[in-house]
Every structure is written in C-alpha cells, then in structure tokens.
C-alpha cells in the first residue's frame, strides 16, 4: 500500500497561476501575464514586445557573463559569435542549445540585428533566414524552402540597389565570373531577328528557371554587391527556426545552404574581397537529426565548428529587464489607484533583482538547473519565488512593500516556494522540473519495485557523461553494467527482471528531463513529434547523458529533506506494510487518516517518516551490495564508498540541524519531539555502521556514512539541550 507523506501548509492561491498571492503578485499580475504568455514569447508572430531597440540591442537583452573555455580563455557567447564573424576565411558553424536557452536572442543581439531580416553594416551583409512564419507546403518541400530563401536573397538585392532595374551588364558579369554557367545553356540559340540584349535576357531567364537551384540568385547578389559603392568584407547567412517546421524540410534547407555557401565563393575574375560565413541555429535534437547531413555537406567538426550554449544570464536580471518593458506596454493596466504606492512597490522589486546578495547562488542554480536552462521556465520559477511569500491583508496595500517580509528569505523557504508554489500537493506529472528520481511506484509490484535504482542510474551517468552528451553512455551499456553489478551474486534470483526495471527507470528519468539525449546520437526521425521527451526505441542503444536537472535533483536530496518530502505521493511505509504500532502511541488522531491526509503530519513526524523510509530503502541497498560482491571494485568505481542511503540521511540530518538550531516548533498537535527524531536517526546510523563494519571486514572495503551526518546530529542534540535549559529556566523564573 502507498501512503502519502505530509505536505507543507497550504499557501492561499488562485486562478491559473501556481504561485502565491502576496502583494507583489496582486499588484503586478498584468505584467506577469505578459511575461509568461505563450502569445508574447520571443519568436512568435506577436513577439514584437521583445523588439524595441536601444543602440542596436533589444531593450530586454541581458549580456552573458564571461566563462572559461577549453582554450583556457575567459570569453562570453557574444564574443564567440563576433569572433566567428571576424575571423579570416570562409567558415561554417552551428550554434547549439537547449530549447528556450536563448540562442536566437543571443545571436540577434550579439550582431545587433534585432529583426530577423537583411541587415547591412559598414563591413558586413547579413541575410537572416528564418523559417518561423508563414506556411510551407509539405507536398513540395524543395519549392517551399526555395521560396523562403530566395525571397530573403531578393530582399538583400533590393536593399543594395534601391529597387533599380536589372543592369544590362549582369550577363557580362556572369561571363567573366562564371563562364561555365552560360556554357551549360548552349542549347539556347539566338534567333535570326533577335537582338543581343533580348537573347541575353532569354538566357538569363533560362538560367533562373532551369539552372542549378540558387545559382541565379547568388550570381544576382554577387553582381549587385559588385555594382554597389560599398565593399563588404563578410557576407553572413544565418539559418534559424528550422525546428518550427517538420523534419522533411531539413534536408532541402541544408542542401540549399550548402549550394549558397559554394556559389557565393564563385570568383572567375579573382577579385573576391569578402568571406562567406554560414551559421546554423539548432536545438540539440535538430543537431542529432542532421548530424550526418551536416558532416557530408560541410565536413562539420564538432570539436571546432560547434558553439555550444550552456548558460543563461542571471535570471533575476532577465526578469528585471523584461518586467521593466512589460509595465510600459499599453495592455499592462494596473488596478492600483495609488500611483505612488505602485511606483514604490516597483522600485522595491527592481532593487531586489539588482542586489545579488538577496538571493544566493544556490537559489539561482536551482532555478536554472531544474529547467535545463530554459529561460521561460526559469522565469516561471522566479516569479513563483517572488509571489510565494506572505499573503496580503484584506483592504488597502498601504504605501510601500517591504520586500524582505514578503519574498522568502531563508534558503529552505525559497526551495519550498520553487518546489511547491502555492500548491499543497506536489504533482510529478504536472511539474516535471522536480521529477521524481527515486523510483516508479506503479511500474512493478511494490516490494520489488524500482527503489534506489534511479539514484544508482544518476550516479552512473554522472561519472561517465557531460553536458549535451559530448561524453555519453548507451542505455544498453548502462543496463548491462548495472545489471552485472547489482544483479549478480548468490542472491540474484531475489531481484527478478532487474534489466527491465532499469530500462523503465531510465525511461522515467528521460521523460522527466533528468537524462537527455546526446547530440552525438545520430537519428533521422520522420516527424517532429519525437523530441526530447519521447524516448527513442533503437536496437543499437540510445546515447544518453545526465542533465543539469538530474544532477541538481540528486544534489537537493542531500541538502535537506524537502525534495524527498515532495515525492510523498510515491513513498512507501517500511516494508510496504502499514505498521500502526509504530505510530499509534505518538499521535492523538487516527493513524490511517494521518497518512491519507498528508497535510496533517507535523514537522517531527515528517522527519521520522523519512527515517523509517530510508531504513526500508537500506534493505534494498544491502541486497545490491551483496549481489555486487563478485564485482565490488567496479561497484566502488561507479558509486564510491558512501552508502546510497547515506546521501538521503545527509539531507534529513541537515533539515534536523536547521530546525533545531532555529528552535522551530513541532507545529500543531504532534506529540513527537525532535529528541525522538534524533534517537531514531541515531538508531538507523548505528544499524548502517554495524553493517558497514562487518562488510568492510569481510571484503576489504571502506563503506561508510558521511561524518557530516553525525556532526549534524551533534549540533541538533546541542540545540535541543540548550532549548531544554531555556525552558527549565523559564519555568523556574
């Protein structure tokens, strides 16, 4: 049977937002509506909200911080883009990044071309080809792609000539620059009464309609550039938003880009004075889909020709820049009639975003890691944080907002805001940012379920993989390795279908974004339905890596008990059997109601519940360790010498230390004290330590629990003793 672990106290909420309704929420809801509206997002047809420009750069843009590259150089993404444009030679590169990480935003602002259009500078001609808007005929993909690209090249010609008519010297230009082009039209003969000019026009028309695709358009552009007074040093073609189209358009687009890149280098007169740059903007899955095509077309080298975007700017600064723009929008109408109070609240909120000391690195990392650097999702969590705090009193708001009294201050409160928002019941299915990495509750019979397998899988991939899967592991190899270690030995028969359960757990972690698909895993899917969240079925195996989300969730389990509490809808009571004798003496209300109505369990009860659950999990870990004896060195190489449940105990002990240090009340009518929790935690630690001593002696290993756990217990005991002395002193007084 499955029982629910306690929820946090319900924070009043309302409407469609999963956030609180404090003063910040109520005052600025119109702005939040704009910031998180799908209709207003950058890249959409209504995304003009993001296109107001200040000095060539979008008014909402926040530049990236510098970071250390593999070449041991501090440089930001903007500089990497600029260097690609400025470097000598004809080059092709791919800008790669997660969905929503801000690739297009980076590119357009780094090059100061906010509109995806034709852009002319003193030294460069940019032709930005976006496939986002308009309709494209899937029955004739070549013609659809050709139409989009040639319209942009034609626009460049128009901008350079100012709508001037075709120059009669265009034919002569082709004769000098690319004579073979005209020779291919030798079947077109001049009529007896036909003028030379008419004959040339007819051959040019034949070149346009019958010649190699894009050749005429490139020659036309080259000729226009040759006639222009301005001399360009670089011509840059950018191909973006291909993901907005079905994959059947990818091959025609790459073929077109290859042809244009080659045709623009035609130089029969040996007078070319510019370099041709081609830049693709791909999501991770687009890179996989087109890996082979790109290698064939451009001989792409992933080590030198990828610009991989891993980070985003500080999320508070992104929020600030967009919030300031949103409140200026005409549709952002505030109901607050007190303009001074509204302005004071706005100033206080923006000051909060400017002060890096108000939110520590841990909070920022949680927000950006669990969203896998998705800016829109990060904004959602940041607004959840801003709006989670103290709900307002009825009546007026007063003249000011005291930010520090509204926005969660302690890290534990900020985590609670991020994980729960205003919702008292955590839902794994509806909030995948905090997906359950512990197990799958319904996939297998309860006793032999996927307990601990998620943690084993995460540790395995953490050791073998890195971001975007440049280093990756095949799922088949992971299942083989883990099965050989965890499922071998004399007790192997007691763990049936281990490979099947590992496969199910890997799929669960993949769907939840804790594992992702390597960009090196070439695939050629038939439709755009198979993106990051659909687990691919490949006989040769799927190349996977541990995502930022997966690594962060693992870290959070060891920081405190909050995330394990958030997984409460799946957690089992010890042995999968309800034991009323364990709890009947400790609670004044019915124990079954206590577990079925999660909101009634108090703080000490929650910790005790988790301790009993970890004891239950330790039974699984002992079996896995016993099975691993023949391969104990491989086990230690993969997972280290620390117990897997030790990581969970560290989180519980950290929470216990914090609660006792802060003199947190037990809450409600709980009859449990923290002293009882401490005693139970000590008992479990003693049990694990005794097992470790025997195991280490028998197999010459060094398994142990973190010393930080015992240090936390010591601190908790000291705090409880101090509290007892204070209470005694108070009674005597």
């Amino acid at each position: 049977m499955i029982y629910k672990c306690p929820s946090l106290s319900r924070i009043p909420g309302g409407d469609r937002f999963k956030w609180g309704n404090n003063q910040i929420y109520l005052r600025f809801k119109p702005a939040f509506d704009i910031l998180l509206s799908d209709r207003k997002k950058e890249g959409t047809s209504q995304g003009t909200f993001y296109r107001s420009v200040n000095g060539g750069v979008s008014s909402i843009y926040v530049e990236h911080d510098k970071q250390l590259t593999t070449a041991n150089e501090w440089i930001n993404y903007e500089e990497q883009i600029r260097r690609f444009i400025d470097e000598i030679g004809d080059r092709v590169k791919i800008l790669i990044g997660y969905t929503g990480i801000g690739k297009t935003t980076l590119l357009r602002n780094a090059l100061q071309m906010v509109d995806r259009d034709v852009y002319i500078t003193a030294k460069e001609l940019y032709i930005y080809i976006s496939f986002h808007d308009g309709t494209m005929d899937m029955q004739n993909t070549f013609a659809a792609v050709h139409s989009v690209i040639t319209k942009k090249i034609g626009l460049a010609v128009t901008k350079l000539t100012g709508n001037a008519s075709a120059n009669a010297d265009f034919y002569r230009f082709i004769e000098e620059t690319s004579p073979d082009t005209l020779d291919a039209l030798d079947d077109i003969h001049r009529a007896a009464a036909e003028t030379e000019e008419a004959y040339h026009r007819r051959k040019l028309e034949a070149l346009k309609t019958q010649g190699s695709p894009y050749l005429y358009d490139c020659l036309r552009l080259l000729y226009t550039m040759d006639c222009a007074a301005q001399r360009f040093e670089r011509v840059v073609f950018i191909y973006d938003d291909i993901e907005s189209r079905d994959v059947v358009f990818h091959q025609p687009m790459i073929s077109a880009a290859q042809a244009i890149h080659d045709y623009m280098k035609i130089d029969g007169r040996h007078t070319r004075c510019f370099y041709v740059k081609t830049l693709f903007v791909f999501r991770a899955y687009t890179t996989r889909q087109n890996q082979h095509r790109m290698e064939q077309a451009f001989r792409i080298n992933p080590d030198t020709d990828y610009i991989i975007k891993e980070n985003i700017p500080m999320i508070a600064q992104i929020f600030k820049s967009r919030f300031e723009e949103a409140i200026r929008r005409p549709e952002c109408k505030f109901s607050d009639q007190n303009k001074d109070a509204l302005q004071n609240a706005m100033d206080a909120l923006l000051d909060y975003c400017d002060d890096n000391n108000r939110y520590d690195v841990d909070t920022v990392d949680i927000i950006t890691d669990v969203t896998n650097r998705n800016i829109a999702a990060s904004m959602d969590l940041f607004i959840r944080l801003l709006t989670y705090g103290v709900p307002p009193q009825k009546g007026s708001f007063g003249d000011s907002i005291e930010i520090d009294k509204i926005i969660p201050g302690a890290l534990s409160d900020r985590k609670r805001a991020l994980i729960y928002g205003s919702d008292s019941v955590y839902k794994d299915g509806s909030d995948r940012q905090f997906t359950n990495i512990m197990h799958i509750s319904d996939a297998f019979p309860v006793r032999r379920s996927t307990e601990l397998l998620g943690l084993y899988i995460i540790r395995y991939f953490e050791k073998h993989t890195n971001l975007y899967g440049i280093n990756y592991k095949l799922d088949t190899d992971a299942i083989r390795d883990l099965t050989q270690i965890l499922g071998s030995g004399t007790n192997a028969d007691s763990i049936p279908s281990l490979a099947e359960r590992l496969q199910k757990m890997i799929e669960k972690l993949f769907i939840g974004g804790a594992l992702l698909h390597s960009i090196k895993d070439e695939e050629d899917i038939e439709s755009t339905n198979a993106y990051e969240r659909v687990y691919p079925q490949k006989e040769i195996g799927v190349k996977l890596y541990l995502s930022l989300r997966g690594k962060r969730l693992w870290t959070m389990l060891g920081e405190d008990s909050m995330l394990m509490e958030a997984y409460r809808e799946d957690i089992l009571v010890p042995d999968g059997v309800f034991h009323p004798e364990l709890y009947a003496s400790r609670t004044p209300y019915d124990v079954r109601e206590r577990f079925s109505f999660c909101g009634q369990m108090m703080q000490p009860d929650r910790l005790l519940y988790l301790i009993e659950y970890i004891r239950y999990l330790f039974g699984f870990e002992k079996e896995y360790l016993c099975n691993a004896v023949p391969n104990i060195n491989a086990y230690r190489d993969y997972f280290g010498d620390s117990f897997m449940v030790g990581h969970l105990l560290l989180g519980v002990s950290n929470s216990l230390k914090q609660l006792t240090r802060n003199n947190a009340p037990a809450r409600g009518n709980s009859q449990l004290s923290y002293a009882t929790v401490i005693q139970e935690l000590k008992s479990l630690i003693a049990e694990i330590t005794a097992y470790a001593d025997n195991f280490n002696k028998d197999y010459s290993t060094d398994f142990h629990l973190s010393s930080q756990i015992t240090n936390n217990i010591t601190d908790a005991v000291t705090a409880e003793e101090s509290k007892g002395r204070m209470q005694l002193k108070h009674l005597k007084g």
Side-chain angles (χ1 to χ4, degrees):
M1 182 175 293
I2 297 176
Y3 296 93
K4 291 186 176 181
C5 194
S7 79
L8 301 165
S9 299
R10 182 165 182 81
I11 303 297
D15 67 44
R16 68 179 183 82
F17 292 108
K18 292 175 64 179
W19 312 312
N21 65 346
N22 60 18
Q23 294 185 45
I24 295 173
Y25 168 82
L26 292 177
R27 291 196 185 208
F28 301 119
K29 183 178 179 298
F32 296 156
D33 273 330
I34 292 176
L35 290 176
L36 296 175
S37 169
D38 290 337
R39 296 181 295 103
K40 301 290 184 182
K41 285 182 180 177
E42 187 173 13
T44 65
S45 58
Q46 299 183 48
T48 53
F49 161 57
Y50 295 103
R51 293 178 187 165
S52 58
V53 180
N54 182 14
V57 177
S58 170
S59 59
I60 64 147
Y61 188 64
V62 179
E63 192 168 278
H64 295 74
D65 292 331
K66 294 182 183 292
Q67 56 188 5
L68 190 63
T69 66
T70 54
N72 201 32
E73 180 182 18
W74 287 95
I75 187 173
N76 63 13
Y77 294 119
E78 289 82 358
E79 291 174 284
Q80 290 186 56
I81 298 292
R82 191 65 250 177
R83 283 190 181 184
F84 163 65
I85 301 298
D86 292 342
E87 66 185 345
I88 295 174
D90 305 312
R91 293 293 304 275
V92 178
K93 278 189 181 290
I94 309 175
L95 174 61
I96 301 171
Y98 292 125
T99 302
I101 200 171
K103 302 178 294 296
T104 298
T105 304
L106 161 68
L107 184 59
R108 294 190 295 107
N109 287 280
L111 300 177
Q112 296 190 4
M113 46 182 303
V114 175
D115 288 324
R116 284 171 267 197
D117 206 341
V118 174
Y119 185 57
I120 299 173
T121 70
K123 296 181 179 181
E124 291 102 19
L125 169 62
Y126 293 95
I127 301 178
Y128 200 122
I129 301 166
S130 170
F131 293 90
H132 190 279
D133 295 326
T135 58
M136 297 180 70
D137 184 7
M138 291 186 61
Q139 302 303 314
N140 194 340
T141 57
F142 174 85
V145 170
H146 185 270
S147 175
V148 172
I149 294 176
T150 54
K151 282 180 182 178
K152 276 297 173 72
I153 296 177
L155 180 60
V157 169
T158 300
K159 284 197 172 188
L160 288 171
T161 60
N163 288 317
S165 59
N167 194 299
D169 289 336
F170 181 34
Y171 187 88
R172 188 172 297 108
F173 173 82
I174 298 177
E175 284 184 316
E176 296 173 356
T177 305
S178 181
D180 292 344
T181 299
L182 296 176
D183 292 343
L185 302 173
D186 56 3
D187 59 330
I188 299 177
H189 303 289
R190 181 177 176 181
E194 189 175 25
T195 64
E196 183 177 61
E197 182 179 355
Y199 172 57
H200 288 173
R201 281 200 305 268
R202 193 157 56 88
K203 288 193 74 172
L204 289 175
E205 185 62 29
L207 174 62
K208 182 177 181 180
T209 57
Q210 302 173 26
S212 299
Y214 305 102
L215 176 57
Y216 174 89
D217 304 280
C218 289
L219 288 170
R220 185 79 181 130
L221 178 59
L222 288 169
Y223 170 66
T224 307
M225 291 168 56
D226 189 65
C227 294
Q230 183 175 353
R231 287 293 175 262
F232 297 106
E233 295 181 8
R234 291 165 287 274
V235 179
V236 184
F237 288 87
I238 300 170
Y239 300 89
D240 194 4
D241 300 313
I242 190 65
E243 292 88 3
S244 63
R245 301 299 172 183
D246 195 278
V247 293
V248 296
F249 292 101
H250 292 194
Q251 178 65 60
M253 185 272 288
I254 293 174
S255 298
Q258 178 189 13
I260 292 169
H261 189 78
D262 291 339
Y263 290 151
M264 289 299 296
K265 294 184 289 184
I266 291 175
D267 189 21
R269 299 186 302 179
H270 305 289
T271 58
R272 181 164 71 103
C273 57
F274 61 87
Y275 297 116
V276 182
K277 309 286 184 175
T278 299
L279 180 61
F280 296 90
V281 184
F282 282 170
R283 295 177 186 174
Y285 62 81
T286 317
T287 306
R288 293 195 305 272
Q289 292 167 354
N290 297 293
Q291 186 179 99
H292 183 63
R293 294 167 180 160
M294 294 297 291
E295 288 176 355
Q296 282 191 323
F298 298 103
R299 297 181 180 178
I300 287 290
N301 182 349
D303 295 330
T304 59
D305 299 328
Y306 285 175
I307 300 175
I308 299 180
K309 191 174 189 300
E310 299 179 356
N311 297 309
I312 61 176
M314 182 75 74
I315 190 62
Q317 294 304 309
I318 293 176
F319 169 82
K320 178 188 175 184
S321 66
R322 299 189 179 195
F323 178 82
E324 288 179 313
E325 182 68 21
I327 59 179
R328 290 194 287 265
R329 303 295 297 174
E331 61 266 40
C332 190
K333 298 177 181 178
F334 296 108
S335 59
D336 194 337
Q337 298 301 311
N338 188 334
K339 301 301 181 184
D340 291 336
L342 184 66
Q343 187 62 50
N344 290 337
M346 199 177 303
D347 292 342
L349 180 58
L350 296 178
D351 286 344
Y352 175 87
C353 294
D354 268 337
D355 187 353
N356 290 337
N357 294 321
R358 299 293 186 102
Y359 39 83
D360 54 33
V361 174
D362 286 333
T363 305
V364 175
D365 286 347
I366 290 171
I367 289 175
T368 56
D369 284 355
V370 299
T371 62
N372 281 323
R373 303 290 197 258
N374 185 294
I375 292 177
S378 295
M379 287 272 288
D380 181 282
L381 288 185
F382 188 74
I383 293 176
R384 185 184 298 186
L385 176 63
L386 294 178
T387 61
Y388 178 82
V390 180
Q393 300 295 323
K394 292 183 178 179
S396 69
F397 294 130
D399 294 334
S400 64
I401 282 183
E402 297 181 67
I403 290 291
D404 290 323
K405 291 183 179 180
I406 296 178
I407 298 174
L411 179 59
S412 60
D413 289 334
R414 291 196 292 271
K415 280 188 179 179
R416 183 176 293 113
L418 296 176
I419 295 172
Y420 293 92
S422 63
D423 196 344
S424 66
V425 180
Y426 171 81
K427 298 290 187 184
D428 182 35
S430 62
D431 197 349
R432 287 181 175 172
Q433 285 129 346
F434 296 92
T435 186
N436 193 332
I437 62 172
M438 298 282 287
H439 65 220
I440 312 171
S441 61
D442 299 326
F444 298 97
V446 168
R447 183 63 183 96
R448 295 301 176 196
S449 69
T450 49
E451 297 287 8
L452 284 184
L453 292 186
L455 304 187
Y456 276 113
I457 291 167
I458 283 179
R459 293 299 304 278
Y460 175 89
F461 277 94
E462 183 179 27
K463 180 177 180 60
H464 291 98
T465 66
N466 62 2
L467 200 59
Y468 284 99
I470 303 300
N471 295 329
Y472 59 83
K473 267 291 182 179
L474 287 168
D475 60 347
T476 50
D477 289 347
I479 293 169
R480 180 201 62 209
D481 292 344
L482 292 172
T483 302
Q484 287 177 350
I485 294 173
L486 303 179
S488 59
T490 56
N491 291 344
D493 290 341
S494 68
I495 307 180
S497 305
L498 178 58
E500 181 186 0
R501 289 182 285 121
L502 285 166
Q503 178 67 49
K504 291 287 186 182
M505 194 68 218
I506 285 175
E507 292 180 13
K508 155 90 170 175
L509 295 176
F510 181 90
I511 291 171
L515 296 178
L516 291 178
H517 207 164
S518 166
I519 62 174
K520 288 190 172 182
D521 199 1
E522 181 184 338
E523 61 178 343
D524 190 9
I525 57 178
E526 295 302 323
S527 75
T528 49
N529 291 328
Y531 288 159
E532 296 282 10
R533 290 294 178 266
V534 178
Y535 196 79
Q537 302 297 328
K538 302 176 72 172
E539 291 185 5
I540 60 174
V542 182
K543 297 175 182 178
L544 300 173
Y545 68 96
L546 181 64
S547 72
L548 293 163
R549 178 182 299 171
K551 190 171 184 178
R552 172 57 54 179
L553 293 175
W554 162 263
T555 301
M556 289 175 70
L557 285 174
E559 290 173 340
D560 52 47
S561 63
M562 191 172 300
L563 189 61
M564 193 154 51
E565 291 179 26
Y567 294 155
R568 62 189 177 273
E569 74 274 12
D570 285 342
I571 290 179
L572 308 173
V573 295
D575 303 322
V577 179
F578 184 71
H579 295 282
E581 68 275 9
L582 292 178
Y583 302 100
S585 63
R586 299 173 183 170
T587 175
Y589 47 86
D590 182 75
V591 288
R592 292 185 181 275
E593 180 185 5
R594 180 183 188 192
F595 282 100
S596 62
F597 182 55
C598 53
Q600 293 186 358
M601 189 178 280
M602 305 308 166
Q603 190 71 62
D605 304 79
R606 292 204 291 270
L607 294 180
L608 185 62
Y609 182 95
L610 294 179
I611 291 169
E612 293 301 324
Y613 175 54
I614 294 171
R615 176 177 276 115
Y616 163 72
L617 293 179
F618 185 53
F620 284 93
E621 187 162 7
K622 287 190 290 186
E623 290 189 26
Y624 290 139
L625 275 170
C626 183
N627 293 335
V629 166
N631 299 295
I632 197 63
N633 289 331
Y635 182 102
R636 296 172 68 190
D637 183 50
Y638 288 156
F639 312 118
D641 291 319
S642 296
F643 287 103
M644 200 67 68
V645 296
H647 189 65
L648 306 177
L649 282 174
L650 179 60
V652 170
S653 68
N654 281 332
S655 286
L656 179 62
K657 172 185 173 180
Q658 194 66 37
L659 289 165
T660 53
R661 174 183 290 178
N662 294 340
N663 199 24
R667 290 184 179 179
N669 55 359
S670 173
Q671 295 181 350
L672 286 180
S673 67
Y674 288 115
T676 304
V677 177
I678 292 171
Q679 191 60 39
E680 291 296 330
L681 185 56
K682 282 183 174 180
S683 173
L684 178 54
I685 290 172
E687 177 185 334
I688 296 174
T689 302
Y691 176 84
D693 290 341
N694 292 329
F695 193 92
N696 292 336
K697 180 179 178 181
D698 291 341
Y699 302 111
S700 301
T701 54
D702 187 29
F703 286 97
H704 60 275
L705 292 172
S706 169
S707 60
Q708 186 60 46
I709 298 174
T710 53
N711 292 340
N712 288 342
I713 293 176
T714 301
D715 289 345
V717 169
T718 302
E720 283 295 284
E721 290 175 348
S722 175
K723 184 168 63 176
R725 288 192 297 269
M726 291 293 292
Q727 291 173 344
L728 182 61
K729 182 178 178 180
H730 177 72
L731 290 174
K732 288 182 177 180

